[in-house]
Amino acid sequence: MILGIDVGGTHTDAVLIEDFKIIRKAKVLTDADNLLQSLLKVTQELLRDEDPGKLSRVVLSTTISTNAIVQKKTDRVGMILACGPGISPARLAVGGDCHFVSGYVNHRGLEAATVDDEEIRRIGEHFHSEGIDHIGIAGKFSTRNPVQEIRIRDLLEGAAGHLSLGHRMSGHLNYPRRIATTYLNAAVARLYSRFVEDVLNFVRRQGISVPIYILKADGGTLDIRQSLEFPVQNILSGPAASIMGVLSLSNHREDAIVLDIGGTTTDIAIFAEGVPLLEAFGVTIEGYKTLIRGLRTKSIGLGGDSCVRVDQGRLSIGPDREGPAAAFGGPCPTPTDAMIVLGLTDIGERSKAEKAMAPIAASLSCSPERAAQRIFDEACRIVADEVKRIIEEINNQPVYTIHEMLEGKQLQPKILHVVGGPAGPMAPRLGQLLNCPVHIPEHPEVANAIGAALARTTAEITVLADTEQKFLSIAEEGCRMAISPRFSREDAIHIGREKLREKALSMGAKEEDLEIEVVESQEFNMVNQFYTTGKNIRVKLQVKPGLIAGFKAGARL
């Protein structure tokens, strides 16, 4: 038995699945100031008369970190960057508290200039005097040798509540992205730790003593206690849950559009030949280009509860949400109210929805029914136009799926999957605008919770080997070992598979879910005075994202 919970900005949804059949589902309003109460409330009905001892796993997805970044409600972060020569510091600074220090490691992983201990202590004292309790540390080539990041961390021991190290974020060399990733990891750490504390209190109160997982941006899960070190991995967890939900609820193998229409936002994703797209280098959020491996999604500020206004004769919808629809006692007219007036749904109080349409109709000089139709049409048009723009953008770039890069692929969606509360009323019109047949899967209103529940644990590592210097490093794991000059790419792949397996199992993966694949494999000769002196080997491996063993996509839940 599996419990899946999606903590969204508007609603918290939950499903209870037994033997891959949904036996109960529930939806409550999210109380952002008391998430523990929301979790308890949504599961009280689900676990009624059920023995918590029958549960095998609990999986959550959440928008808490994403919303904090988007709303600029993150903590102040002090950044320490060991750059060395090359890129101008002006291009690397992030946040308002960035310090560039004198030590650095070169491109071969050799320490070219040592850390100035006194300089680091002075910076630590400055952060303390400024009340900065979160620090990010990133060296340009720390993925090849993290010695200086570790040294700086040791010097600052006790000076901050949370320290984020760049080499633990990703094995990729892209330094500006690693800086942004380190910064965001520190910026959301306190907020995310409170969320985890609420979750752990919730499971204790419910008498649950099974593995608890959180969904990551790549659609895979991670043990929630381990996630405390890497809270940034969970940005865009909510949209990833949408994708995994559709993946589990359908068995289509063609190019497809996926829409999750919520109360606050609409999440848009594209499938290539039935497989979700992956961000090639890392997700981007609020202008921060990161190295966080994630599914390719786009969120727009339009949902069923978005505020509707008329400004100088022009209709505007969102991006803000002031509360529920007027039909549920909310303060302003919304697309949900328009759908109620049009008879597309019978939820809420129709009289309240009609009353909310009256001022909009007066401003547009039309009847309330005509105003509702214009709101509905405009909401659908905004979503459809954004989908078309995204497809055009994707078709001008290489297409990366969670499995491979599709060379020369041009996306031509053949089906539109729609989930979320307003899926039923909006899907037919969206299908017309996008010239696609529509598929609304079973349980569309809790698809996110289903996707979280059925996602398997994912992980990735990057193995770097230098046979001239006779060392191998796996930066994300803080691993560095000696190798022989005869070390080969095949050796690197073998070690990578073993280390990735160990990592995934420690993150809570099940042996039967470990589908390991090599996603990048490179080898270069190093030459000195016309002679080959060694090899530089780079191998990247992943546990492929997907659904837990035993569940077949499209199976009737």
Side-chain angles (χ1 to χ4, degrees), residues 225-236:
R225 291 175 178 84
Q226 289 191 33
S227 72
L228 283 167
E229 187 177 355
F230 306 107
V232 76
Q233 291 278 1
N234 306 297
I235 63 172
L236 303 180

Side-chain angles (χ1 to χ4, degrees), residues 20-58:
F20 298 128
K21 301 293 180 185
I22 292 178
I23 57 175
R24 288 194 185 119
K25 55 186 178 180
K27 180 187 288 282
V28 302
L29 288 172
T30 299
D31 183 347
D33 297 321
N34 192 346
L35 289 177
L36 176 59
Q37 193 57 40
S38 298
L39 291 168
L40 290 169
K41 188 175 180 180
V42 80
T43 55
Q44 278 174 350
E45 176 65 21
L46 291 187
L47 296 177
R48 183 193 71 235
D49 303 327
E50 295 289 347
D51 177 11
K54 291 170 64 179
L55 287 170
S56 60
R57 70 194 311 237
V58 177

Side-chain angles (χ1 to χ4, degrees), residues 238-287:
S242 308
I243 293 173
M244 299 309 292
V246 171
L247 192 65
S248 65
L249 293 167
S250 67
N251 198 26
H252 296 272
R253 290 292 172 263
E254 60 266 73
D255 294 352
I257 302 161
V258 176
L259 298 178
D260 179 7
I261 308 171
T264 307
T265 62
T266 293
D267 297 327
I268 303 168
I270 308 294
F271 283 13
E273 300 171 13
V275 181
L277 299 192
L278 190 72
E279 289 287 1
F281 303 105
V283 302
T284 298
I285 181 168
E286 288 299 296

